Amino acid sequence: MKVALITGITGQDGSYLAELLLEKGYMVHGIKRRSSLFNTDRIDHLYQDPHHPKQRLKLHYGDLTDSMNLTRIIEECQPDEIYNLGAMSHVKVSFDTPEYVGNVDGLGTLRILEAVRLLGLEKKTRIYQASTSELYGGLAENKNERGFYDENSPFYPRSPYGVAKIYGFWITKNYREAYNMFACNGILFNHESPRRGETFVTRKITRATARIALGLQDKVYLGNLDAKRDWGHAKDYVRMMWMILQADKAEDWVIATGKTTTVREFVRMSFAEVGVELEFKGKGVDEKALVKKCNNPEYQIEIGKEVLSVDPSYFRPTEVDLLIGDPTKAKEKLGWVPDYDLKDLVEDMMRSDIKLMKKDQYLKNGGYTTLNYFE
Ligand code: NAP
Ligand code: G4F
């Protein structure tokens, strides 16, 4: 049985990847952080009975800042594959915690690579490093001749997060070249899902849209509506992480959809899912979105209602204005074909958030339900 170790297993990607690897018959080890509240919501459905003899998911307490802990866990698991997904992954928050981000997202990667090397596992263990399109920084002049970022485009990170991740990128490449380790970077563009953290922009929008439609919230405040992102579905992207480690050769790969969309358009698409047409008025910090039409009898929102304003506190000291990736290499060499496009993604997230918020609404109105009633 193949053995995998996932750092960041409690996160969006870690949870989908754990599902995928369990389906493929792997023994899956995951590192979770000690927290004062339960932090395993996203993987609880995979972890029914830790004492069952056939349980193939095992969690270990740990942290990417603790080398001894990481070395001990890797020695115990003897993994065939390590997926290093653990990170402080919020770009805006990285401006508030730059040193911590350097330690976790940058040096954390080194700790994993060095543990594998010191334990003499460099021939056995393949390593996936969660690199990011934030490395490119959105500089227009660095796109290729077709207008995309690809594996050869120069990097220009624009946040402490991006700078820490660039260390992770290069140290992975260096260990591959210096010690002949099978260590690869997946340079992933933004990927979202119903399990996306609530403070990333897509999930913030789909949650707020669902709550506004159900009368639980009046409006949402966002930052830069002009920012453009290449958004895919996390399920498609974790499948590609696995494919990267099954390849014949260790390399770095761009994973993206090749399309880019503004935050404003994502808002428009989310409201359209509940039958609401929006009209955007004003510019910059004065921009607002108002309800123009409401075509869904289930969700009655008054015409002219203001449902979105700009709050400059969400602006970043330095912004990445535009990201668009070229996944040609992954498609041609590994045969990656995504199942979801942006419309499917928005539908999936909206369906899930409407269900979740209906549960909230039901409870708010004095109802009682078991957790899975609305699943
Ligand atoms: P996420 O939902 O924020 O999950 C991050 C995971 O890392 C969580 O399990 C978190 O634990 C864990 N973590 C945080 N600090 C840690 C530490 N000090 N030690 C050990 N674990 C720690 O992120 P994601 O969206 O799944 O992304 C997965 C990885 O891909 C990250 O490295 C991210 O930077 C990178 N990435 C993401 C995207 C994207 O669009 N999603 C794109 C490119 C790259 P808690 O649950 O306890 O917080
Ligand atoms: O959803 P975001 O916070 O994601 P961001 O900064 O692109 O980072 C995500 O994708 C990276 C891959 O490129 C990952 F490496 C990283 O870990 C993370 O998963 O913001 C997207 C855009 C930004 O331009 C931001 O300024 O949306 C803009 N935005 C506008 N209003 C907002 C908001 N972002 C957030 N989080 N909250 C807002 O209210």
Side-chain angles (χ1 to χ4, degrees):
M1 191 190 304
K2 271 199 170 179
V3 177
L5 172 65
I6 305 175
T7 72
I9 194 167
T10 56
Q12 171 189 257
D13 291 4
S15 67
Y16 284 119
L17 181 66
E19 263 169 27
L20 180 82
L21 296 179
L22 288 169
E23 274 166 26
K24 290 187 180 297
Y26 278 65
M27 171 72 207
V28 177
H29 294 266
I31 297 182
K32 72 166 176 174
R33 298 192 289 173
R34 147 73 191 153
S35 130
S36 67
L37 290 170
F38 287 128
N39 60 355
T40 53
D41 280 16
R42 292 186 178 105
I43 49 170
D44 282 344
H45 62 292
L46 301 174
Y47 198 58
Q48 303 294 346
D49 177 4
H51 304 292
H52 193 282
K54 290 204 171 141
Q55 174 67 254
R56 283 189 289 112
L57 174 60
K58 184 169 167 47
L59 297 183
H60 306 255
Y61 281 111
D63 199 292
L64 281 160
T65 58
D66 183 340
S67 326
M68 281 192 273
N69 155 272
L70 294 171
T71 309
R72 180 181 53 73
I73 294 171
I74 294 171
E75 185 173 30
E76 270 173 35
C77 308
Q78 298 282 311
D80 299 295
E81 295 167 13
I82 296 179
Y83 296 86
N84 184 32
L85 310 186
M88 201 309 284
S89 72
H90 202 286
V91 173
K92 174 75 164 45
V93 175
S94 79
F95 289 95
D96 299 326
T97 60
E99 181 185 343
Y100 176 71
V101 171
N103 195 2
V104 175
D105 299 16
L107 287 178
T109 312
L110 170 70
R111 292 184 183 105
I112 297 275
L113 291 159
E114 186 63 357
V116 168
R117 191 177 80 84
L118 292 178
L119 291 167
L121 293 172
E122 63 270 53
K123 293 274 172 295
K124 172 183 169 71
T125 305
R126 295 184 168 202
I127 300 172
Y128 172 88
Q129 167 59 15
S131 284
T132 163
S133 47
E134 279 291 305
L135 300 184
Y136 298 117
L139 257 61
E141 62 270 31
N142 287 344
K143 286 191 271 184
N144 67 20
E145 64 290 349
R146 297 193 305 116
F148 298 96
Y149 298 101
D150 64 22
E151 288 82 1
N152 299 313
S153 305
F155 296 143
Y156 197 107
R158 300 261 293 162
S159 63
Y161 169 80
V163 173
K165 282 281 185 179
I166 215 165
Y167 179 87
F169 175 92
W170 282 111
I171 201 69
T172 300
K173 201 172 162 91
N174 177 249
Y175 269 56
R176 179 166 81 222
E177 290 170 0
Y179 306 115
N180 204 19
M181 286 166 66
F182 199 106
C184 310
N185 287 288
I187 309 172
L188 270 55
F189 283 64
N190 297 51
H191 46 279
E192 322 291 312
S193 75
R195 296 186 198 165
R196 184 58 144 153
E198 290 86 349
T199 61
F200 295 97
V201 79
T202 55
R203 186 74 199 290
K204 186 171 166 184
I205 293 167
T206 57
R207 268 174 62 91
T209 306
R211 289 177 63 79
I212 292 167
L214 291 167
L216 292 165
Q217 180 175 330
D218 270 342
K219 67 193 285 191
V220 61
Y221 292 88
L222 296 176
N224 180 6
L225 302 180
D226 292 319
K228 291 176 121 182
R229 289 292 181 274
D230 180 332
W231 279 301
H233 197 298
K235 278 191 182 174
D236 283 329
Y237 287 50
V238 301
R239 188 155 37 82
M240 189 55 202
M241 293 176 186
W242 176 77
M243 291 168 96
I244 286 174
L245 290 197
Q246 314 315 307
D248 295 336
K249 193 168 156 240
E251 289 181 70
D252 303 323
W253 306 83
V254 162
I255 314 299
T257 70
K259 299 205 170 77
T260 193
T261 308
T262 59
V263 170
R264 184 183 299 99
E265 182 57 21
F266 195 97
V267 173
R268 206 191 294 277
M269 290 174 76
S270 301
F271 274 88
E273 286 299 315
V274 288
V276 173
E277 194 182 323
L278 296 180
E279 179 178 22
F280 287 83
K281 285 191 168 165
K283 284 233 166 331
V285 292
D286 296 323
E287 187 165 354
K288 318 249 177 249
L290 313 175
V291 174
K292 190 172 171 197
K293 280 190 198 151
C294 182
N295 302 320
N296 189 334
E298 205 187 330
Y299 310 116
Q300 279 312 313
I301 314 181
E302 125 210 13
I303 308 302
K305 181 180 166 71
E306 193 178 293
V307 289
L308 179 152
S309 289
V310 172
D311 177 348
S313 70
Y314 296 115
F315 292 167
R316 292 156 187 204
T318 39
E319 173 66 290
V320 172
D321 295 320
L322 181 149
L323 289 174
I324 181 164
D326 182 353
T328 306
K329 177 179 165 186
K331 287 189 168 173
E332 288 182 355
K333 286 180 92 170
L334 295 180
W336 178 66
V337 183
D339 288 333
Y340 292 81
D341 66 13
L342 182 61
K343 171 98 175 78
D344 302 328
L345 171 69
V346 177
E347 263 172 37
D348 192 25
M349 294 179 74
M350 279 305 300
R351 201 179 311 117
S352 167
D353 274 332
I354 285 279
K355 207 188 286 178
L356 200 65
M357 299 312 157
K358 277 190 173 164
K359 190 158 69 186
D360 259 20
Q361 189 188 41
Y362 181 72
L363 294 174
K364 200 176 154 198
N365 291 336
Y368 170 80
T369 178
T370 60
L371 213 60
N372 292 327
Y373 186 82
F374 286 93
E375 295 303 310

